[in-house]
Amino acid sequence: MLRSVAVPLISGVAPFEFGVLCEVFGVDRTEEGVPLIDFRVCGELPNEPVHTDVPGVSITPEHGFEALLDADLVALPAAKIREAYPEKLLKTLRETDATLLSVCSGAFILGEAGLLDDRRCTTHWRETKAFQERFPRAQVDPDVLFVDDGNIITSAGTAAGIDACLHLVRRELGTRVATTIARRMVVPPQRDGGQRQFVELPIPDCSADSLEPVLEQVLDTIADNHTVASMAKLAVMSERTFARRFVAETGTTPNKWLSLQRVLHARRLLEETDLDVDAVATRSGFGTAALLRHHFHRVVGVAPSDYRRTFACR
């Protein structure tokens, strides 16, 4: 279980990436069923301001780096890349048994501590070449939003940190908690694609005002045989008009949106029920286990059975 999160700050820390960690792990959402997390902001010297990479803006951590040692998760926000990092922080990272998560250039801190040798990882696509040259033993994947390598999770730039944090919440606390946090943040619980697709809009959960009643009705009846034609009929539009409006308002096609929603529904069923794969395929609208496996692997990256073994509620 994820009960405590410690965030170490160094000079040049990026406020947005720090804010992502605060938003996911530091906000009290117990009224919505989200477990309260002991959230610690740490610096080399407690109660001493740490300058951010925004001129005139500083953050004052309450704890010292020693508070990292007994945390369940140590989350490293992005910070200005430099030749040398505080040795006290590197030493503490080597000593802690916590799960480690980095956002964007925070991976450089893990690399400098020697924790990414022979480990799968990622960082912002603009920095991957420099990262590989500096840490040649790290197994860098430049095309993904984040990499989960067990007790170390690394993410790509900026918003990909949200994806990595929600993934970790889903892994440790379950889909319901991750979805609750995502909805409050007004972001999709899981985005499709990798860093190469950043020029495209992420597939939305449901964000089109004029089409929202249609999308909600489809989601409520996800097991039905929905098609572009049937959705256009619900919207009282021609198929061509509906498809054009759908892309304009959601950034994706009706078929891609429907396929992703079916996968997300199947994922929840795999986590929260004991239904076999055939039943999951039926209830999520794929019809056959073979079709479910094809689309599930394309979106999630693993087979439904493998996903269930890892993420099924215990």
Side-chain angles (χ1 to χ4, degrees):
M1 294 291 291
L2 185 61
R3 299 185 180 88
S4 57
V5 175
V7 180
L9 303 184
I10 60 175
S11 63
V13 62
F16 180 89
E17 283 79 353
F18 171 67
V20 166
L21 300 175
C22 294
E23 182 70 23
V24 175
F25 301 112
V27 176
D28 185 349
R29 295 193 174 96
T30 51
E31 291 184 356
E32 298 175 79
V34 177
L36 184 65
I37 292 175
D38 174 13
F39 188 75
R40 313 166 188 171
V41 181
C42 310
E44 189 159 10
L45 296 173
N47 299 312
E48 289 289 330
V50 176
H51 296 293
T52 72
D53 64 358
V54 178
V57 177
S58 299
I59 302 171
T60 303
E62 182 178 348
H63 303 275
F65 287 153
E66 60 275 4
L68 307 177
L69 292 171
D70 63 345
D72 295 323
L73 171 68
V74 173
L76 297 150
K80 184 177 180 181
I81 299 171
R82 66 207 71 194
E83 290 298 319
Y85 290 90
E87 184 55 39
K88 184 176 181 180
L89 173 58
L90 302 180
K91 181 175 183 294
T92 305
L93 291 174
R94 297 186 194 106
E95 293 175 351
T96 183
D97 292 325
T99 297
L100 303 173
L101 181 148
S102 67
V103 179
C104 193
S105 60
F108 278 78
I109 304 174
L110 295 177
E112 192 66 24
L115 298 172
L116 295 180
D117 291 350
D118 305 314
R119 301 290 296 264
R120 294 174 55 249
C121 60
T122 193
T123 189
H124 195 290
W125 60 268
R126 290 185 61 185
E127 309 296 344
T128 52
K129 182 178 180 181
F131 189 90
Q132 289 175 317
E133 292 174 350
R134 184 166 178 174
F135 311 113
R137 291 182 59 184
Q139 300 173 12
V140 186
D141 187 341
D143 299 329
V144 295
L145 297 176
F146 62 86
V147 171
D148 181 340
D149 196 41
N151 67 330
I152 296 181
I153 297 175
T154 50
S155 69
T158 310
I162 300 175
D163 299 290
C165 290
L166 291 175
H167 166 77
L168 179 64
V169 170
R170 186 183 303 112
R171 191 184 83 175
E172 299 297 326
L173 300 176
T175 295
R176 291 185 185 278
V177 174
T179 300
T180 297
I181 295 174
R183 284 174 178 166
R184 282 292 301 273
M185 294 176 66
V186 197
V187 296
Q190 176 175 309
R191 289 194 294 165
D192 194 14
Q195 291 199 63
R196 286 182 178 177
Q197 297 176 318
F198 265 111
V199 294
E200 300 176 359
L201 291 174
I203 294 179
D205 191 19
C206 179
S207 61
D209 291 338
S210 65
L211 296 179
E212 187 170 358
V214 174
L215 303 188
E216 288 181 348
Q217 186 170 344
V218 171
L219 292 176
D220 289 340
T221 57
I222 197 72
D224 292 353
N225 184 29
H226 295 291
T227 63
V228 176
S230 66
M231 289 190 287
K233 186 176 181 180
L234 289 173
V236 195
M237 298 178 185
S238 69
E239 290 184 41
R240 180 175 296 181
T241 300
F242 175 76
R244 185 171 61 249
R245 180 76 63 80
F246 199 101
V247 172
E249 295 191 10
T250 70
T252 188
T253 66
N255 282 327
K256 285 184 178 180
W257 179 85
L258 181 59
S259 177
L260 180 60
Q261 298 310 314
R262 293 192 193 283
V263 168
L264 294 176
H265 187 70
R267 190 182 66 188
R268 289 191 289 270
L269 292 175
L270 291 168
E271 291 182 356
E272 300 175 4
T273 75
D274 295 325
L275 295 171
D276 59 31
V277 174
D278 288 310
V280 170
T282 299
R283 293 200 183 188
S284 56
F286 285 113
T288 67
L291 199 56
L292 166 63
R293 292 188 184 98
H294 170 75
H295 288 281
F296 198 90
H297 194 282
R298 178 181 60 82
V299 174
V300 182
V302 296
S305 56
D306 293 334
Y307 183 86
R308 169 171 272 168
R309 277 194 292 271
T310 302
F311 293 104
C313 295
R314 295 171 176 81

